[in-house]
Amino acid sequence: MTQVKNDLLLRTLRGERTERTPVWMMRQAGRYLPDYLKLKEKYSFFERCQNPDLASEITIQPVEQVGVDAAIIFSDILVVPQAMGMEVQMIENKGPLLPDPIKQFSDLDKLVVPDVHESLGYVFDALKLTKQRLEGRVPLIGFAGAPWTLLCYMVQGKGSKTFDEAKAFCYTQPETAHRLLQQITDTTIAYLQGQAAAGADVVQIFDSWGGLLGPEDFENLSMRYIRQIVAAMKNKALTIIFAKGAWHSLDSMAATGAHGLGIDWCIRPGMARQLAGPQCALQGNFDPAKLLSPIPVIRKEVKSMLDAFSGYPHIANLGHGILPNVPVDHARAFVETVKNYQYEPA
Ligand code: CP3
């Protein structure tokens, strides 16, 4: 296997001190990059995901064009419900639509825990091809949605601000909900283990809707399952948990043994560090909308973010995905400022 030359991200996740902070951006592949938007005119969303050659090209674009220290495979969290037997459509300017959502116990009959090598083999092929094409320039990140966030889409059937139908399902039919969460978890474990075998150095679990749950529900409906996934990845890949808005549970996330924890911009780095403890790397937490500020403002704000995280392992990132309307120059300014930063104690 090729040795990774720029292994700043890997060393930071192992808790080592590095010469500078590694940087990448959630959702960095696609959306705001002109070369991606050109491909978008020719191929549908799932064609882009399922064709390893296209997926790998899109994955490498931000490495070459923006200079990030890691590549994240181009795919989507919703390929898992798709592999479990649900229809998933991606509607332009509207987002995902699952026309036949799970509403009751008997609907679980429609689902399978698939052989991931059959149904998601295209993701493994894309990872293998990307690993070759990267030639060890930077590490490769794989990912999956957390079981709770996938349940949100599988039950609600579409995006939502509150995911009220998904929550009502869990609160009124808890046994069915837990059975579904366990089926998603079993699929996700096989899927992420397959990603590691295909060359992913790191895997990130995206719990984008973790923050919709209070601390006890988060433990019951999300953490329990994330814990199983992190345990199953031990010695297979480095792991990052990103549970947006669920800062109250950083201590239990750290206790899973995950190597990194993502945080959003609504928590101060010092407080996140207190909750997470000294060991694991914290990842974040620039407000993605701040990339719409003038470049000098971006530079100044990135430096104060880096100051606030200094002293402990940190991966510079946004607090959620990059917005589609961010100018590429602004994304570059974010990355360059991290790369040029020197900590100067006051
Ligand atoms: O760096 C990357 O962009 C890697 C690829 C990636 C995509 N989706 C591609 C995508 C990743 C890591 C995701 C994760 C994802 N998908 C999440 C978790 C992260 C987050 O943002 O909270 C979620 C909740 C989804 C579900 C999803 N997929 C939504 C809500 C949407 C529509 C709105 C949007 O984000 O654009 C998608 C579509 C999607 N997934 C696009 C891309 C590039 C845009 C559609 C397109 O380009 O045609």
Side-chain angles (χ1 to χ4, degrees):
M1 220 173 250
T2 334
Q3 193 73 23
V4 178
K5 288 170 210 122
N6 172 352
D7 62 351
L8 286 166
L9 174 74
L10 308 182
R11 283 188 279 139
T12 302
L13 284 169
R14 290 190 196 111
E16 292 170 31
R17 282 194 155 258
T18 53
E19 46 293 8
R20 70 164 172 84
T21 304
V23 55
W24 67 283
M25 292 178 295
M26 287 192 280
R27 307 291 304 272
Q28 69 189 15
R31 296 178 117 192
Y32 65 106
L33 284 175
D35 284 348
Y36 173 79
L37 299 174
K38 273 186 238 154
L39 286 176
K40 204 172 153 164
E41 286 166 17
K42 281 203 256 169
Y43 306 95
S44 77
F45 180 69
F46 287 111
E47 274 171 347
R48 277 170 267 146
C49 292
Q50 287 164 9
N51 178 326
D53 186 50
L54 284 178
S56 141
E57 181 181 340
I58 300 169
T59 301
I60 296 175
Q61 282 173 0
V63 176
E64 293 181 344
Q65 299 180 16
V66 187
V68 284
D69 293 312
I72 178 164
I73 193 70
F74 181 77
S75 184
D76 198 81
I77 62 167
L78 298 175
V79 301
V80 166
Q82 214 172 36
M84 292 176 75
M86 293 188 79
E87 183 185 344
V88 182
Q89 302 169 5
M90 203 54 85
I91 313 282
E92 185 65 34
N93 301 324
K94 278 192 100 172
L97 179 70
L98 294 80
D100 202 5
I102 304 295
K103 294 292 168 192
Q104 57 200 358
F105 188 79
S106 59
D107 292 338
L108 298 185
D109 291 344
K110 296 187 267 190
L111 297 180
V112 291
V113 174
D115 174 345
V116 292
H117 290 277
E118 253 166 49
S119 51
L120 292 161
Y122 63 89
V123 180
F124 305 151
D125 292 341
L127 285 161
K128 285 181 206 152
L129 186 60
T130 307
K131 193 77 185 168
Q132 278 173 17
R133 288 186 180 166
L134 280 172
E135 297 177 307
R137 277 175 283 174
V138 291
L140 180 56
I141 306 174
F143 70 91
W148 158 250
T149 287
L150 290 182
L151 177 145
C152 283
Y153 288 101
M154 291 167 85
V155 173
Q156 191 92 16
K158 55 183 189 305
S160 162
K161 283 208 169 79
T162 57
F163 283 98
D164 54 330
E165 291 172 43
K167 289 171 96 172
F169 172 82
C170 294
Y171 300 150
T172 55
Q173 304 177 69
E175 281 178 25
T176 309
H178 282 292
R179 187 180 283 238
L180 174 57
L181 287 165
Q182 191 60 51
Q183 287 182 353
I184 302 170
T185 303
D186 295 344
T187 307
T188 303
I189 287 174
Y191 180 45
L192 289 179
Q193 289 182 341
Q195 292 190 29
D201 303 288
V202 177
V203 294
Q204 175 156 317
I205 302 164
F206 282 93
D207 203 1
S208 306
W209 306 116
L212 294 179
L213 299 169
E216 280 175 25
D217 288 331
F218 182 73
E219 166 56 34
N220 188 31
L221 296 167
S222 187
M223 265 322 292
R224 278 206 212 185
Y225 298 96
I226 290 179
R227 209 172 274 129
Q228 294 179 38
I229 297 170
V230 173
M233 293 312 292
K234 200 171 176 196
N235 301 325
K236 296 198 158 63
L238 297 161
T239 44
I240 303 174
I241 305 172
F242 170 62
K244 187 172 181 295
W247 56 270
H248 47 71
S249 297
L250 283 169
D251 54 347
S252 26
M253 289 182 230
T256 63
H259 302 86
L261 302 180
I263 55 172
D264 64 50
W265 58 98
C266 295
I267 180 165
R268 288 181 209 282
M271 185 176 171
R273 184 49 79 187
Q274 268 185 350
L275 290 166
Q279 286 222 301
C280 64
L282 289 177
Q283 174 173 280
N285 72 340
F286 204 72
D287 176 352
K290 275 204 180 157
L291 288 186
L292 300 169
S293 324
I295 287 179
V297 176
I298 295 175
R299 293 197 187 282
K300 181 170 155 280
E301 298 267 339
V302 171
K303 284 182 200 146
S304 40
M305 169 184 79
L306 292 166
D307 286 345
F309 279 101
S310 67
Y312 296 91
H314 174 224
I315 300 158
N317 205 318
L318 309 175
H320 200 185
I322 189 166
L323 298 165
N325 54 343
V326 168
V328 181
D329 279 359
H330 291 212
R332 278 194 199 109
F334 176 78
V335 170
E336 273 165 23
T337 310
V338 178
K339 289 184 162 179
N340 295 329
Y341 172 81
Q342 290 286 332
Y343 178 58
E344 288 157 22

